[in-house]
Amino acid sequence: GAVVSQHPSRVICKSGTSVKIECRSLDFQATTMFWYRQFPKKSLMLMATSNEGSKATYEQGVEKDKFLINHASLTLSTLTVTSAHPEDSSFYICSAHQVLAATEQYFGPGTRLTVT
Amino acid sequence: AQSVSQHNHHVILSEAASLELGCNYSYGGTVNLFWYVQYPGQHLQLLLKYFSGDPLVKGIKGFEAEFIKSKFSFNLRKPSVQWSDTAEYFCAVTIKAAGNKLTFGGGTRVLVKP
């Protein structure tokens, strides 16, 4: 089956620093990856759609300069949280569409970010 | 924009009881419907999905869901739950016109008592 990995699984950083989270599709190619944020005891909120070779599309209210997304290849998308603040602490989850079967998304295990 | 609502935020039941979780969406066009499950400490897993055809969809672990177009609903059911079904369940929708972006419901936390 299609597997999506995320790295790191947990990260703690100091306020003002930047953190990069990687999302990889391990056994398939993904033209589109999605980045979500999940608050405690809440549902997933779509942050942005990452398209290979082009700029990401951000949802309303998501700061594109704060959450930098790069989709450099068909198997890798990265989310960089720049100048992190405590309110950015959250669970970040990515998902990926297969190139030839863009009807289902496969989810990564998520990254727990804590900003101190 | 489409939205998804799940009626119950928390459900507590005993093993062997039947489970039904409600899900309604608001969009008048063609939709794809999903139910995901998130077990404690684990990532989202697909339970079942509906794209077209038979509106009664069977998924993994004994779950099924019925798409009722006239009611804009896609309720999840399981006739007899187990303790291991304790998890959070999310209903989600995609529409082709929105680039296959998933819109999630608020989730229902299910606790099955042994």
Side-chain angles (χ1 to χ4, degrees), chain B residues 1-53:
Chain B
Q2 72 270 28
S3 65
V4 181
S5 62
Q6 293 181 236
H7 315 303
N8 311 99
H9 297 294
H10 290 91
V11 172
I12 301 174
L13 56 162
S14 300
E15 277 193 312
S18 64
L19 173 70
E20 179 161 0
L21 302 181
C23 173
N24 285 88
Y25 64 93
S26 64
Y27 181 70
T30 303
V31 294
N32 295 328
L33 298 152
F34 305 81
W35 274 98
Y36 285 90
V37 61
Q38 189 173 32
Y39 297 104
Q42 296 189 28
H43 63 282
L44 277 170
Q45 299 174 42
L46 181 68
L47 268 181
L48 47 80
K49 60 189 178 186
Y50 172 81
F51 293 149
S52 63

Side-chain angles (χ1 to χ4, degrees), chain A residues 32 34 36 38 40-46 49 59 91 93 95 97 102-110, chain B residues 6 10 32 34 36 38 42-46 49 51 88 90-91 94 99-107 109:
Chain A
T32 304
F34 299 89
Y36 297 85
Q38 187 177 27
K41 299 184 180 180
K42 298 282 187 181
S43 187
L44 281 77
M45 180 193 79
L46 179 65
T49 303
E59 295 300 301
F91 196 53
I93 303 171
S95 70
H97 265 311
T103 52
E104 182 178 337
Q105 294 182 28
Y106 299 94
F107 285 82
Chain B
Q6 293 181 236
H10 290 91
N32 295 328
F34 305 81
Y36 285 90
Q38 189 173 32
Q42 296 189 28
H43 63 282
L44 277 170
Q45 299 174 42
L46 181 68
K49 60 189 178 186
F51 293 149
E88 187 149 19
F90 295 95
C91 181
T94 63
N100 290 314
K101 293 189 293 186
L102 273 169
T103 299
F104 282 88
R109 201 170 283 268

